Amino acid sequence: MKPLRKIRLGIVGCGIAARELHLPALKNLSHLFEITAVTSRTRSHAEEFAKMVGNPAVFDSYEELLESGLVDAVDLTLPVELNLPFIEKALRKGVHVICEKPISTDVETGKKVVELSEKSEKTVYIAENFRHVPAFWKAKELVESGAIGDPVFMNWQIWVGMDENNKYVHTDWRKKPKHVGGFLSDGGVHHAAAMRLILGEIEWISAVAKDLSPLLGGMDFLSSIFEFENGTVGNYTISYSLKGNERFEITGTKGKISISWDKIVLNEEEMKVPQENSYQKEFEDFYQVVAEGKPNDLGSPVQALKDLAFIEACVRSAGNKVFVSSLL
């Protein structure tokens, strides 16, 4: 059997996502990727990261890394506002990109990422790991098979309850967010990706967004009502500051499914869904896109832009308020 050609990968940004999410996945995929170069805003962070992966070359700047000839692709785990310029620089040097979500700070600049990707022969892959979660694919399968009849209503309530002990709270770029809605888009594009995967495109949205916690940067509470193109009505409510139990349900004309990470309950029947490392699955998919010519469906910048557009529409929504007093 012909050995697989490894992709030489440069890690750009050595923060939480690179260390705790991407690195474990890449260590399991050492037959597909070789980390050959590292850079970060602080050189000591890059050097620490390099020691964790076998001492690849450490560069003082992103530009030096791209000029080195040591990488076929870069893995960008950066503050969101840097995605666009860093993607552009990589493509100019003929280097493939896998980039953490959201695609950009807002839809307008996200469109520029899409445009760059469409003009380039190199791959731009937005790393949305929720598009690789088996439970969401199982839910999609059940809905499309008619297991609950015609879907009528989707309800997803998420209560994250971040406090001062949460590591993400203390990230500088999250404390003073330049991306629309702050945590609402940082985490919310995940949820948009899952909802759209299961039920398709979203036609219209009305929402209320609030800033409840002085600890978190930007808005941290959102409640929305919307309609999918297939007619399903949705409610997505999330709070990053309030604690509670998550609930994800889809009700149809012939039943209901409740979705969890490791199981789905169809009416009263519980179906176990094996959990997989969704970060590893996205890197495997990225490899197949770059090295084997697989269509870039799951890391598509267009899909990532639609995820962000959902959240930006929520944040911009005026709520279409009708005051009860006006009727009395």
Side-chain angles (χ1 to χ4, degrees):
M1 184 184 221
K2 185 179 178 180
L4 294 171
R5 177 180 70 83
K6 290 187 181 183
I7 290 176
R8 299 176 302 160
L9 189 64
I11 305 296
V12 184
C14 299
I16 298 170
R19 294 193 313 269
E20 300 184 13
L21 304 178
H22 290 204
L23 182 56
L26 287 167
K27 283 185 173 180
N28 289 335
L29 298 174
S30 59
H31 59 296
L32 301 181
F33 296 94
E34 179 184 3
I35 298 175
T36 53
V38 176
T39 189
S40 196
R41 183 178 61 176
T42 305
R43 183 178 175 89
S44 61
H45 290 169
E47 290 174 341
E48 290 169 10
F49 189 92
K51 290 177 183 176
M52 299 166 68
V53 297
N55 293 308
V58 176
F59 292 93
D60 289 319
S61 73
Y62 181 51
E63 290 74 16
E64 289 175 335
L65 182 148
L66 290 175
E67 293 282 0
S68 69
L70 293 176
V71 299
D72 304 309
V74 288
D75 176 19
L76 305 181
T77 58
L78 302 164
V80 180
E81 64 268 21
L82 297 179
N83 285 356
L84 174 58
F86 276 56
I87 289 171
E88 185 172 19
K89 288 177 181 179
L91 296 181
R92 283 179 179 172
K93 294 297 180 183
V95 172
H96 300 283
V97 178
I98 181 169
C99 175
E100 261 298 336
K101 54 80 223 164
I103 186 173
S104 193
T105 54
D106 52 62
V107 169
E108 201 55 41
T109 54
K111 289 177 181 177
K112 296 177 182 177
V113 174
V114 170
E115 184 179 351
L116 286 170
S117 69
E118 290 177 343
K119 289 181 177 179
S120 177
E121 294 181 356
K122 298 300 179 180
T123 296
V124 177
Y125 191 104
I126 306 301
E128 176 47 74
N129 66 299
F130 274 40
R131 262 190 275 279
H132 299 268
V133 173
F136 299 147
W137 282 95
K138 183 62 177 178
K140 176 183 177 68
E141 175 191 319
L142 289 170
V143 169
E144 291 181 350
S145 71
I148 60 170
D150 295 327
V152 175
F153 181 66
M154 185 223 78
N155 178 36
W156 199 355
Q157 297 180 15
I158 305 170
W159 309 94
V160 182
M162 288 179 161
D163 56 28
E164 62 278 353
N165 296 317
N166 189 291
K167 56 196 170 189
Y168 292 105
V169 168
H170 303 288
T171 309
D172 288 340
W173 61 271
R174 289 188 174 96
K175 286 194 276 188
K176 297 179 180 178
K178 295 180 181 178
H179 47 295
V180 61
F183 277 100
L184 297 185
S185 66
D186 188 20
V189 291
H190 282 317
H191 311 129
M195 292 187 290
R196 291 179 52 250
L197 172 67
I198 298 168
L199 288 165
E201 300 302 339
I202 295 164
E203 189 170 10
W204 61 265
I205 296 163
S206 184
V208 175
K210 294 186 177 184
D211 182 357
L212 300 180
S213 171
L215 178 67
L216 306 183
M219 297 175 180
D220 55 73
F221 174 85
L222 170 70
S223 189
S224 62
I225 190 82
F226 51 95
E227 188 174 9
F228 292 88
E229 289 181 357
N230 66 10
T232 306
V233 174
N235 169 245
Y236 165 66
T237 297
I238 184 160
S239 173
Y240 288 91
S241 57
L242 305 178
K243 298 181 186 295
N245 295 320
E246 182 172 347
R247 183 178 178 184
F248 190 5
E249 298 175 337
I250 302 172
T251 302
T253 55
K254 295 182 180 178
K256 180 177 74 173
I257 57 173
S258 299
I259 305 165
S260 303
W261 291 102
D262 60 349
K263 67 180 179 181
I264 289 177
V265 179
L266 171 60
N267 299 324
E268 302 299 322
E269 179 188 357
E270 184 175 299
M271 304 176 179
K272 291 291 185 182
V273 181
Q275 289 184 277
E276 298 183 42
N277 184 328
S278 55
Y279 297 99
Q280 181 172 326
K281 286 173 71 68
E282 72 187 2
F283 274 104
E284 287 174 328
D285 190 57
F286 176 61
Y287 180 89
Q288 291 171 353
V289 171
V290 170
E292 300 172 4
K294 179 180 182 289
N296 186 13
D297 296 327
L298 302 179
S300 163
V302 172
Q303 294 301 322
L305 185 67
K306 290 180 179 180
D307 298 336
L308 181 59
F310 170 80
I311 299 298
E312 186 166 333
C314 287
V315 172
R316 289 189 177 203
S317 171
N320 300 318
K321 298 175 183 175
V322 176
F323 288 88
V324 176
S325 61
S326 71
L327 304 178
L328 300 174

